[in-house]
Amino acid sequence: MPAAVASPLTTAGSRNPLPRASRDAAWVRWTLTAVALVFLAFFLALPLAAVFAEGLRRGVAAYFASFRDTDALAAIRLTLLTAAIAVPANAVFGVAAAWAIAKFPFRGKSLLITLIDLPFAVSPVIAGLVYVLIFGANGWFGSWLIDHDVRIIFAVPGIIIATTFVTFPFVARELIPLMQAQGNDEEYAAATLGASGWQTFWRVTLPNIKWGLLYGIILCNARAMGEFGAVSVVSGHIRGETDTLPLHVEILYNEYNFVGSFAVASLLTLLALVTLVLKTIVEWRHAASRSAST
Amino acid sequence: MATARTRRSALPGFGITLGFTLAYLGLIVLIPLSATFIRAAGMDWGSFWAAVTSPRVLAAYRLSFGASLAAGAVNMVFGLIVAWVLTRYPFPGRRVVDALVDLPFALPTAVAGIALTSIYAPNGWIGRWLAPLGFPVAFTRLGVFVALTFIGLPFVVRTLQPVIQELQPEMEESAASLGATRWQTFRRVLLPELVPPLLTGFALAFARALGEYGSVVFISGNMPMRTEIVPLLIITKLEQYDYSGATAIAVVMLVSSFLLLLLINLLQKWSRRFQAV
């Protein structure tokens, strides 16, 4: 999600029962609720149901057979590998960036925060394009890479780098406002008591930011596993080799193998649903730990 | 207050974390993005201009900007209703519905694309009712609009929700005690407060829709001049090894995105000032 949708972790407020003047008439309530639910049913629930209905159209056996295909298994492996590299890299970056930005005053801070959000404002297709311009056959390093027989574009490294680009801001933009709001008092206290920098981070800072960090990692992972546009540009679509799960969905779909395509898509849909559940749990936990500490 | 240069913090790690942040940001984001501008700067003005103003490219701009505007506008209306209902009216299952609003963020765009296509295809769950009425959705511009509406919805809802939550009940009480009807209170007292976040949500949804690729390419049919969006055109140019053409279009899109980002930042500043008062 791009720049600037405020995270629920930093905007959670208290809910009191509404006073009478703020209550709407019953017919207004019912009408608006019905409109909202019908709209959401059409736009959210129906696509969700369609994925499973189409995947199961030829029965359960055909559905599960879609996952025994070696290309599908290779796609699952590549998607897991990509997330296993891109997510930790961006998590470490997020923590480092948040530490520098939240704990110290320096010039150009708001510019730096804007630049960190930049990948959210860039079309995923352009995110793929920039790496083609750098590492592609007639890009900046193209001839050097060919001479040394290193493949980045139309190979796994390109997929990982492009995924890192599109998931770049997720952890940082959760942690920066959270750590800014928490302030430095606890870290100063730890330093006064003789803790080293590492001890302060592991014992004081990390426990304070763990829910925010987890939240950022969950969102980052969902996007890393589901990214389509950027990966599509750099992958080259080689079955069994540079095919991630979302790209495999597209390949099967374009071959009119709809059951297979929707079966693989249902796997990604389950991932999305698990993401939403985990995200909601983390929001509740975070709200609980905040109200406990104040 | 001492300046950054003279004050030494009691906490360690400033140099290394800031250094790492800048290096990583530079390597992954800034240097690669600058590659498009450097490549475009290598083109002469005439061929750049020709690449970004050919009839096919202009048709793609019109579709991308037009459908994104329309989807953003629809999301402003329904997003406001959804955000209002989810914040103000308790109903059974509200938390589930609330969590589901983020589905377009969490669902991979390719999955959204094929799911929407199957629903709105002429034999799909909705398509079979709309097609006989003369509204074929899949493989038309309407399909692009539907996909972009799906993608943009959470931006408007999530920007509005915290603001609706923080509305002071006293304002509504005083309006009511001065004799305003509920509708007048909404129009004159509440809506002005909601305009900045509505515009912010609209701009966010619009910015996302402009660059959106995965959810659109399946449902749009991708006919040049008719249902071809700008990101798809960039990919088409790349596949034809027309790197300069692809880069030129990308530069136009990047500049539009940066201007939007600037606008969003200004809107949010405005929004916050509103809330502080």
Side-chain angles (χ1 to χ4, degrees):
Chain A
M1 75 189 81
V5 172
S7 164
L9 296 193
T10 40
T11 56
S14 61
R15 279 168 198 254
N16 296 319
L18 288 168
R20 178 141 32 130
S22 300
R23 277 187 229 139
D24 298 317
W27 70 270
V28 175
R29 247 181 5 242
W30 285 107
T31 314
L32 289 181
T33 308
V35 169
L37 290 181
V38 167
F39 181 79
L40 293 179
F42 269 89
F43 272 92
L44 301 182
L46 222 48
L48 211 52
V51 173
F52 293 97
E54 295 284 336
L56 291 164
R57 174 166 285 207
R58 296 269 156 75
V60 179
Y63 176 82
F64 282 105
S66 311
F67 302 118
R68 279 199 295 275
D69 178 48
T70 50
D71 290 339
L73 291 175
I76 293 173
R77 267 199 302 276
L78 179 55
T79 294
L80 292 175
L81 173 73
T82 305
I85 296 172
V87 176
N90 285 335
V92 170
F93 161 73
V95 172
W99 181 269
I101 289 170
K103 303 290 178 200
F104 304 93
F106 60 90
R107 239 173 252 242
K109 190 183 278 190
S110 58
L111 175 67
L112 181 59
I113 295 175
T114 306
L115 290 177
I116 288 174
D117 266 347
L118 209 51
F120 279 153
V122 172
S123 170
V125 168
I126 296 177
L129 167 76
V130 299
Y131 292 109
V132 173
L133 293 180
I134 292 175
F135 299 117
N138 57 14
W140 287 356
F141 302 117
S143 53
W144 188 91
L145 291 171
I146 291 169
D147 290 345
H148 293 76
D149 202 26
V150 182
R151 294 196 60 110
I152 293 183
I153 298 303
F154 305 146
V156 175
I159 291 173
I160 293 171
I161 298 174
T163 305
T164 307
F165 181 101
V166 291
T167 59
F168 185 86
F170 278 103
V171 177
R173 68 186 315 276
E174 286 304 325
L175 290 184
I176 292 168
L178 186 63
M179 282 169 72
Q180 279 178 328
Q182 284 172 347
N184 291 356
D185 295 353
E186 294 188 32
E187 279 81 4
Y188 286 147
T192 313
L193 295 171
S196 73
W198 268 122
Q199 282 174 324
T200 309
F201 175 74
W202 284 108
R203 305 268 182 92
V204 177
T205 309
L206 198 59
N208 277 338
I209 62 168
K210 64 176 184 238
W211 294 119
L213 180 61
L214 192 60
Y215 193 81
I217 288 175
I218 291 167
L219 297 181
C220 184
N221 180 64
R223 180 72 191 265
M225 290 192 172
E227 177 52 27
F228 180 70
V231 170
S232 175
V233 174
V234 298
S235 127
H237 306 275
I238 309 162
R239 280 184 89 129
E241 274 183 53
T242 62
D243 212 6
T244 63
L245 275 177
L247 296 177
H248 199 58
V249 168
E250 183 196 23
I251 287 183
L252 294 173
Y253 190 86
N254 288 341
E255 290 171 349
Y256 302 100
N257 181 356
F258 294 129
V259 168
S261 176
F262 278 98
V264 175
S266 72
L267 211 58
L268 288 166
T269 308
L270 286 175
L271 173 74
L273 292 176
V274 169
T275 301
L276 291 184
V277 170
L278 286 176
K279 185 176 159 300
T280 310
I281 292 174
V282 170
E283 280 166 21
W284 290 348
R285 282 295 177 88
H286 183 79
S289 72
R290 260 161 65 115
S291 54
S293 66
T294 50
Chain B
M1 179 120 176
T3 64
R5 210 171 292 270
T6 52
R7 195 171 82 173
R8 246 185 74 83
S9 173
L11 297 176
F14 177 61
I16 188 165
T17 52
L18 187 67
F20 174 71
T21 300
L22 293 176
Y24 190 75
L25 178 70
L27 281 177
I28 301 283
V29 178
L30 298 183
I31 294 173
L33 276 181
S34 68
T36 52
F37 290 95
I38 291 169
R39 177 108 188 184
M43 297 170 73
D44 66 278
W45 178 249
S47 54
F48 178 85
W49 188 248
V52 297
T53 56
S54 80
R56 187 173 168 187
V57 179
L58 289 179
Y61 291 146
R62 264 199 300 277
L63 175 62
S64 275
F65 281 87
S68 302
L69 276 174
V74 165
N75 274 326
M76 273 215 286
V77 176
F78 286 95
L80 175 59
I81 296 175
V82 169
W84 185 263
V85 167
L86 286 178
T87 329
R88 284 291 177 99
Y89 306 153
F91 60 89
R94 177 168 77 169
R95 293 200 138 167
V96 177
V97 175
D98 188 67
L100 203 63
V101 167
D102 277 332
L103 184 72
F105 286 154
L107 194 70
T109 53
V111 177
I114 63 169
L116 290 172
T117 309
S118 84
I119 295 172
Y120 289 97
N123 59 353
W125 290 345
I126 300 179
R128 78 175 61 157
W129 304 104
L130 290 179
L133 298 176
F135 291 107
V137 177
F139 319 123
T140 69
R141 291 175 190 174
L142 213 50
V144 178
F145 159 78
V146 166
L148 296 180
T149 307
F150 172 84
I151 284 299
L153 172 73
F155 292 99
V156 180
V157 178
R158 293 300 185 227
T159 316
L160 277 168
Q161 266 180 323
V163 181
I164 296 178
Q165 189 130 47
E166 298 298 310
L167 286 175
Q168 301 294 324
E170 289 84 356
M171 293 194 315
E172 288 164 74
E173 277 170 358
S174 24
S177 69
L178 291 171
T181 64
R182 187 74 187 127
W183 173 246
Q184 283 173 324
T185 308
F186 179 78
R187 264 291 281 111
R188 305 277 184 83
V189 179
L190 298 179
L191 196 59
E193 296 272 318
L194 298 179
V195 165
L198 260 176
L199 289 177
T200 308
F202 170 81
L204 286 168
F206 179 75
R208 169 70 196 263
L210 267 190
E212 179 56 23
Y213 174 70
S215 61
V216 177
V217 285
F218 295 96
I219 202 171
S220 70
N222 306 330
M223 281 167 287
M225 303 296 296
R226 301 211 37 232
T227 60
E228 191 175 51
I229 53 166
V230 178
L232 176 75
L233 194 56
I234 293 176
I235 288 198
T236 311
K237 298 258 176 206
L238 273 180
E239 282 169 354
Q240 295 163 347
Y241 300 102
D242 179 5
Y243 286 61
S244 303
T247 308
I249 301 170
V251 163
V252 172
M253 294 308 277
L254 277 175
V255 171
S256 318
S257 304
F258 294 162
L259 290 177
L260 270 171
L261 197 64
L262 193 70
L263 178 75
I264 290 165
N265 277 337
L266 291 176
L267 275 172
Q268 278 177 326
K269 278 210 183 103
W270 182 43
S271 199
R272 239 170 283 155
R273 205 174 53 196
F274 241 79
Q275 280 175 287
V277 172

